[in-house]
Amino acid sequence: MPHATATFNGKIIAETDAYEFVEGNVYFPPSSVDKSVFTPSELHTFCPWKGTASYSNVVVDGKEAKDAAWYYPEAITERAMGLKDHVAFYKSKVDVKYE
């Protein structure tokens, strides 16, 4: 069974056996993510088939990764519906492992 984790500053912040893999990114189901490590970000980006992404900073033990996590609160196409509210992380900021 596939397994994925996201770790920042030595703490696992997301872990799941059921994830979406799109365009080289692991999208974690909302229930598998520790959102207590998130702080608000004002960054938003737009994808023509996924919609507008909202970002969060990740903070663990005083260390911050700015704009490190994103999700799509409103999927704009049928193709993107499986990603709605799933969280992805920049691999350059958060250690994401998957199989």
Side-chain angles (χ1 to χ4, degrees):
M1 178 171 253
H3 187 76
T5 59
T7 306
F8 180 70
N9 200 25
K11 178 178 179 170
I12 294 175
I13 58 174
E15 185 169 22
T16 187
D17 290 327
Y19 57 86
E20 300 291 330
F21 190 78
V22 177
E23 297 175 339
N25 295 300
V26 173
Y27 284 83
F28 291 84
S31 62
S32 71
V33 179
D34 178 2
K35 293 186 184 89
S36 73
V37 301
F38 287 2
T39 61
S41 168
E42 294 189 20
L43 181 64
H44 297 279
T45 59
F46 182 76
C47 170
W49 73 271
K50 290 178 271 189
T52 300
S54 295
Y55 288 74
S56 295
N57 306 311
V58 175
V59 182
V60 173
D61 295 331
K63 184 175 181 184
E64 179 183 54
K66 189 158 180 55
D67 305 322
W70 75 91
Y71 71 100
Y72 295 92
E74 300 294 330
I76 62 169
T77 66
E78 193 65 36
R79 183 172 140 200
M81 289 300 164
L83 298 180
K84 184 179 182 314
D85 292 328
H86 283 51
V87 179
F89 299 93
Y90 278 110
K91 291 178 278 202
S92 61
K93 299 179 181 187
V94 173
D95 183 26
V96 177
K97 293 191 167 51
Y98 60 94
E99 51 187 60

